[in-house]
Amino acid sequence: MVMRKLIPLLLILTVVVSGCLFKPPAEVKFSVDRTVVRPGETIHVMVLVNNTGKVGLTGATLVLSNDDFRILQEPRFPETLPVGRAVQLVWILKAPMRPGTYNLKLSLELTDELKRSWTGFYGQFRITVSSEVNPSLSVDLEVRAPEVITGGETANVTVVIRNRLDVPVELRDLTFNPLNGMKVVGAGDLPAKVDGNGEVRVTYRIEAPYAYRVGYISAILKYAVNGNEGSAIKSLQMKVVWRPWNRSEEVLKEAYGLNYHWITDGYIVDGYWMKTYNSTSAFDRAEFRETTLKIIGDSESEAQAAARIYDWMMGTYSLGDTTSSLDPSNILQQDRISYAEAQILITAMLRSVNVPARIITLSNGTDCTLRPMTEFYTADGWYIVDVKHGFTGSMDEYIASPYFPRLYQLVTKEGYRIVAQAPATLRGHEHVDVTGDFLANLEDRLLKTVSERLNPRLHSKLMRVMNDLDENQRLYALFLFASAPSNDDLNRVLDEYSTEKIEQDVKTLYEFYRDMTWREDFTRYWKVFVGEV
């Protein structure tokens, strides 16, 4: 077991006295649901993690040594797994398409509350991929559910348990894992047994979230035959689509709660804007609805709709810096518009199809028209459309983009605030300070997004780098890594460079640039980091 963190002497002494240094932080057991599969079928890797350490566990990363297998879906780790508690995690893998025998080698990395990484947990299985797979000779499952449902609707998910043995099978436990945000609003009872060559069914009633989801729902059965325990697992791919433009006002209010008013507000920017540009941002949503519906077509979520509006805008207008109107109706008719006008039009079009949307800007206390962007709300939080920089994505994706570091510097070093335009009386400045939405838990959010872009086997190396930097250096490092032009570039550099080189180069760059005005696009500093400039 390797503990990858430098710990102050006092903490080392405390840990040694408590016995933690000589004790693994967890007991880990690996299993797979089957070792013979058809080409391209799914395999379930089940990992039981029992926290036997001294602090809570906060994350688990599964590393595959064989690139022939691909992870289709990862489990949701508890926010914190307390000491003495256990959790069963299920990874869904896709088997290779080429028949043959493969060694599936697995390793697990755990992260604890002290942000330490623990490795040394391994599993290995021999998997045969064959087009000729015999049916199960014991107990198997089938999951039946609609392939697609709409957000907010309910549906039945039926788990069929088949006993292919001649003797009865004792049914001990059945666990159902829905998609993120799905609620189980009703469930049938699990029978005590299933007779030989018989089958039983358990039906769950699920309610879909007001959100787009695609992934696998799973059922895990624990059973016993003549006292010998066994388990079976089955998954089914399912999709939830959420089209707010087709839903009623009542449903929208339930879906968006306090953010519903960002649909119906009749103005987009405040009185300061209107005075500055001698124009009004008043608009009628109904005037834009038909045009916007044609643009978004068969979109299945707010994010897909926003992306199509953005793509349409890029193909329709020439963009510049001169703003002549705040009126969405006037902007729509022009051939050349400013970046600010583009953000106003996108915001109006999103509202017209029942998506909560608003303009956010920088404010220096006097001027609140700086660096406008559009925010729109979903069940997963706020998303951002930044026309000038060609960005559309979630807020966490935005703070892990090359365009956020300069914004961060303006806020933390130069006293600017990030505000959301909230016009009501049209008398001067009317906005809501949303700076905290961007800065809260910034390091953890950046680290999570950067880690998701990395090959899992590089996660422990990233954590070693982070643990040897101070707070400001860590943020700078994460800004650098997040600004890599592609995931391939990020993985190549972190794979090829030694930990010592990465740490030293980050420290050198931070010391050199920390008091300078950073560029709008932080990719420049990535290029310096990798020696391209």
Side-chain angles (χ1 to χ4, degrees):
M1 201 64 53
V2 180
M3 185 174 64
R4 304 189 187 278
K5 184 172 177 70
L6 294 177
I7 306 172
L9 180 59
L10 182 59
L11 180 56
I12 292 178
L13 293 174
T14 302
V15 171
V16 170
V17 170
S18 67
C20 179
L21 193 62
F22 308 102
K23 182 180 181 181
E27 294 176 350
V28 176
K29 295 181 180 179
F30 295 87
S31 61
V32 294
D33 63 327
R34 49 187 174 161
T35 56
V36 181
V37 296
R38 290 185 174 87
E41 279 193 332
T42 57
I43 299 173
H44 297 84
V45 175
M46 293 162 283
V47 182
L48 181 64
V49 179
N50 181 17
N51 187 351
T52 58
K54 296 294 183 180
V55 297
L57 298 174
T58 57
T61 301
L62 186 71
V63 181
L64 310 181
S65 65
N66 193 326
D67 292 336
D68 293 308
F69 294 86
R70 182 164 61 90
I71 296 177
L72 297 177
Q73 183 165 297
E74 299 183 352
R76 296 189 298 275
F77 198 86
E79 185 175 346
T80 301
L81 181 64
V83 174
R85 299 289 296 274
V87 64
Q88 180 168 271
L89 306 172
V90 178
W91 277 263
I92 301 176
L93 275 56
K94 182 177 181 179
M97 296 301 297
R98 186 177 68 254
T101 301
Y102 298 82
N103 284 323
L104 177 58
K105 296 180 180 180
L106 309 167
S107 63
L108 191 74
E109 178 183 330
L110 296 173
T111 306
D112 66 22
E113 290 180 304
L114 301 181
K115 297 186 178 181
R116 299 176 297 186
S117 294
W118 299 84
T119 60
F121 308 101
Y122 302 105
Q124 183 172 344
F125 302 92
R126 194 173 181 83
I127 306 296
T128 299
V129 178
S130 173
S131 299
E132 300 177 359
V133 178
N134 295 323
S136 168
L137 298 179
S138 54
V139 178
D140 61 29
L141 302 179
E142 179 185 359
V143 179
R144 298 175 180 174
E147 290 183 7
V148 181
I149 61 174
T150 297
E153 292 184 349
T154 58
N156 287 335
V157 176
T158 300
V159 180
V160 182
I161 305 170
R162 294 190 179 92
N163 178 11
R164 302 189 184 278
L165 301 173
D166 295 328
V167 298
V169 171
E170 178 188 353
L171 304 180
R172 295 189 171 178
D173 182 65
L174 180 63
T175 302
F176 173 61
N177 294 330
L179 294 177
N180 183 27
M182 273 187 177
K183 296 179 181 178
V184 178
V185 296
D189 294 328
L190 178 67
K193 66 175 184 177
V194 54
D195 293 330
N197 297 305
E199 73 173 39
V200 297
R201 303 183 181 196
V202 178
T203 297
Y204 295 88
R205 189 72 176 167
I206 57 101
E207 181 179 297
Y210 296 111
Y212 177 81
R213 295 285 184 269
V214 61
Y216 290 84
I217 58 175
S218 301
I220 305 172
L221 175 70
K222 294 182 179 179
Y223 62 87
V225 181
N226 296 325
N228 297 315
E229 294 185 343
S231 64
I233 184 170
K234 188 68 175 181
S235 297
L236 178 72
Q237 192 168 40
M238 196 172 183
K239 181 193 288 186
V240 180
V241 298
W242 171 238
R243 298 183 173 106
W245 42 93
N246 293 335
R247 306 312 294 269
S248 67
E249 179 180 339
E250 181 181 2
V251 171
L252 294 171
K253 286 181 177 179
E254 181 179 350
Y256 294 121
L258 295 176
N259 290 304
Y260 171 77
H261 75 92
W262 296 109
I263 296 175
T264 58
D265 287 353
Y267 295 90
I268 294 178
V269 291
D270 65 18
Y272 178 84
W273 278 69
M274 295 184 184
K275 181 178 179 180
T276 300
Y277 293 102
N278 192 28
S279 179
T280 178
S281 64
F283 77 108
D284 182 354
R285 289 192 300 135
E287 293 181 7
F288 290 84
R289 181 174 173 83
E290 184 176 350
T291 298
T292 306
L293 285 174
K294 290 179 181 179
I295 293 169
I296 66 176
D298 59 353
S299 296
E300 297 179 339
S301 68
E302 303 103 331
Q304 290 182 19
R308 291 192 179 183
I309 293 171
Y310 172 82
D311 290 342
W312 167 83
M313 184 169 290
M314 293 301 101
T316 302
Y317 298 100
S318 297
L319 294 167
D321 293 315
T322 303
T323 299
S324 59
S325 178
L326 306 180
D327 185 337
S329 298
N330 290 338
I331 297 170
L332 183 64
Q333 305 304 320
Q334 297 175 18
D335 296 322
R336 181 175 179 82
I337 61 177
S338 71
Y339 294 109
E341 289 169 331
Q343 301 292 177
I344 289 171
L345 184 56
I346 288 176
T347 304
M349 298 182 92
L350 286 171
R351 289 185 186 179
S352 77
V353 289
N354 300 337
V355 177
R358 64 192 187 186
I359 294 288
I360 60 170
T361 64
L362 274 180
S363 173
N364 60 11
T366 301
D367 188 351
C368 65
T369 67
L370 310 171
R371 292 185 61 143
M373 298 185 292
T374 298
E375 270 193 328
F376 64 91
Y377 187 76
T378 77
D380 298 315
W382 290 98
Y383 275 61
I384 290 174
V385 182
D386 180 357
V387 174
K388 188 170 187 177
H389 295 112
F391 175 89
T392 61
S394 70
M395 182 180 292
D396 280 1
E397 290 170 334
Y398 179 74
I399 66 174
S401 76
Y403 316 114
F404 179 71
R406 175 56 183 153
L407 192 66
Y408 171 82
Q409 189 182 50
L410 286 167
V411 169
T412 58
K413 300 290 187 181
E414 300 180 35
Y416 287 78
R417 306 299 292 175
I418 305 171
V419 299
Q421 293 291 310
T425 66
L426 304 183
R427 297 173 182 169
H429 291 288
E430 291 179 291
H431 38 66
V432 179
D433 192 323
V434 296
T435 309
D437 293 349
F438 289 81
L439 300 188
N441 303 313
L442 179 59
E443 181 181 325
D444 289 342
R445 292 159 68 189
L446 279 168
L447 181 60
K448 180 176 182 295
T449 305
V450 170
S451 296
E452 289 170 351
R453 297 174 183 175
L454 277 181
N455 185 310
R457 66 182 178 81
L458 294 174
H459 182 259
S460 59
K461 185 174 185 178
L462 172 64
M463 294 306 297
R464 290 200 302 275
V465 170
M466 299 301 293
N467 289 337
D468 288 335
L469 302 174
D470 67 29
E471 180 180 359
N472 293 323
Q473 293 166 348
R474 288 197 300 271
L475 272 180
Y476 191 85
L478 290 170
F479 285 152
L480 278 176
F481 302 152
S483 299
S486 70
N487 291 353
D488 288 342
D489 288 315
L490 175 63
N491 280 276
R492 175 182 57 80
V493 169
L494 263 66
D495 189 21
E496 294 178 357
Y497 288 18
S498 68
T499 303
E500 294 74 17
K501 175 175 173 55
I502 296 172
E503 292 171 5
Q504 186 56 54
D505 288 355
V506 166
K507 291 176 181 178
T508 300
L509 287 176
Y510 172 71
E511 290 300 323
F512 185 78
Y513 287 111
R514 66 175 181 178
D515 295 324
M516 296 185 185
T517 297
W518 295 345
R519 295 197 180 193
E520 287 279 321
D521 187 342
F522 213 73
T523 306
R524 165 73 181 188
Y525 306 106
W526 167 267
K527 292 180 177 180
V528 174
F529 176 64
V530 299
E532 293 181 4
V533 294

